[in-house]
Amino acid sequence: MVRLTKIYTRTGDRGETGLVDGSRLPKSAPRMAAIGDVDELNSAIGVALTHDLPEATRAQLGRIQNELFDLGADFATPGPDYAPSEMSLRIVPSQVERLEAEIDAMNADLESLRSFILPGGDPGAAAIHLARAICRRAERSAVTADADVGLNPTGLAYINRLSDHLFVLARWLNRAGAGDILWKPGATR
């Protein structure tokens, strides 16, 4: 269990931050960009949760928020050993598989796509679309960090699958896809 008694430490005043193993790196490092984007994604999901959402969706998003904290810890843990342990919190395949099962269940209720979708619709769905866009940025940052230092491949799969999950969830919230706003290519020419 985490216990914080003091919020500021002054250890980052010179532009560095600590990792799980105690090592330090610049706050501008690709690893820190990925961690920061995952944190921003978690905050965007928190904003989405302020909307009127079905209880099952709230439960899904609550699990995802918790897992995003796990993912941030995973990305903040250096080393080539990606097995979870008491000292290393790692994303595991069952978490990715659960996202896939949820995607499949939601997608079963949706019509096939006939066009790309513009973000919007129901306020809750619009907030999820914004979270999806942030998720895609977090994935790009994670891929950059992986090329720099190596990250847990399962964590990378998780963030990739999560963007798909959020896309399907936004469609599902838009009245099972009926409220999707379809892109009309060249409509304003």
Side-chain angles (χ1 to χ4, degrees), residues 146-168:
D146 181 53
D148 185 48
V149 296
L151 297 178
N152 179 1
T154 307
L156 295 171
Y158 180 89
I159 196 81
N160 178 268
R161 213 67 80 250
L162 180 56
S163 65
D164 296 332
H165 186 287
L166 294 171
F167 175 74
V168 173

Side-chain angles (χ1 to χ4, degrees), residues 29-39 72 75 137-138 141-143 145 151:
R31 180 189 296 267
M32 293 313 302
I35 293 166
D37 288 345
V38 167
D39 184 38
F75 286 174
R137 178 166 28 93
S141 296
V143 167
L151 297 178

